[in-house]
Amino acid sequence: NAGVTQTPKFQVLKTGQSMTLQCAQDMNHNSMYWYRQDPGMGLRLIYYSASEGTTDKGEVPNGYNVSRLNKREFSLRLESAAPSQTSVYFCASSEGAGSNEKLFFGSGTQLSVL
Amino acid sequence: AQSVTQLGSHVSVSEGALVLLRCNYSSSVPPYLFWYVQYPNQGLQLLLKYTSAATLVKGINGFEAEFKKSETSFHLTKPSAHMSDAAEYFCAVSDYHFNKFYFGSGTKLNVKP
């Protein structure tokens, strides 16, 4: 079972470069999420998508954009990377509102912005 | 608005000792509460969840948590720590309608031989 797949696993960018983190889930989940994890700050929600065709801001959306391409895929884009965006990024999915089922996480992307 | 606060960023216990990791929540609606564990270089895995069916929730690997509304707490416990329990633990809250999950800052558990 693949579950939630994120690519790439590691990435180094220079300040001002752009990149897209890819995420796909094969569990037919309605909701998908992007989190960033920083030491001492836990996981903070960047954006989430309650269902296909909808996206909404989380706690720390500045500097990011997202696309819910279809029910399976939810990408995160950094248009102009900054050192403050150095972090570990996790994609997650769940069945959706009203279910309160757990989140399924990808294995993470370690991003360094120099 | 919903949030969780985890007291203690690092907890150290001896193998065989009681594990107690603290979590307090803030929620304007009945909360749904979760504990997740993260082993090094991995994503998060669900330990247990509270969804109002019972106040004492049993999870995997011998962990359990008790929901106390009067104290707005959802502390995680395990009677006897094992070396394999060393990991980072996160408390999280979500709401029924929007299904957004908010996480605490995490507690790293160290287990000494």
Side-chain angles (χ1 to χ4, degrees), chain A residues 35 41 44 47-48 53 57 89 94 105 110:
Chain A
Y35 286 92
M41 304 192 76
R44 291 180 291 170
Y47 270 93
Y48 88 114
K57 295 178 180 179
Y89 292 84
S94 74
F105 282 88
Q110 195 164 329

Side-chain angles (χ1 to χ4, degrees), chain B residues 8-53:
Chain B
S9 58
H10 290 80
V11 170
S12 186
V13 301
S14 298
E15 192 172 21
L18 172 71
V19 175
L20 171 60
L21 305 182
R22 299 178 186 275
C23 173
N24 289 88
Y25 69 90
S26 172
S27 176
S28 56
V29 297
Y32 294 93
L33 295 159
F34 305 79
W35 275 99
Y36 284 83
V37 60
Q38 184 181 34
Y39 298 102
N41 301 313
Q42 295 185 24
L44 278 71
Q45 305 170 35
L46 182 71
L47 268 180
L48 50 81
K49 66 177 183 180
Y50 165 75
T51 56
S52 78

Side-chain angles (χ1 to χ4, degrees), chain A residues 33 35 37 48 94 98 103, chain B residues 36 38 94 96-97 99-101:
Chain A
Y33 310 78
Y35 286 92
Q37 183 179 22
Y48 88 114
S94 74
L103 288 170
Chain B
Y36 284 83
Q38 184 181 34
S94 75
Y96 181 84
H97 295 289
N99 206 220
K100 282 185 180 181
F101 292 76

Side-chain angles (χ1 to χ4, degrees), chain B residues 79-98:
Chain B
S80 177
H82 192 273
M83 297 297 291
S84 61
D85 294 328
E88 190 161 17
Y89 293 80
F90 293 91
C91 184
V93 62
S94 75
D95 66 87
Y96 181 84
H97 295 289
F98 299 103

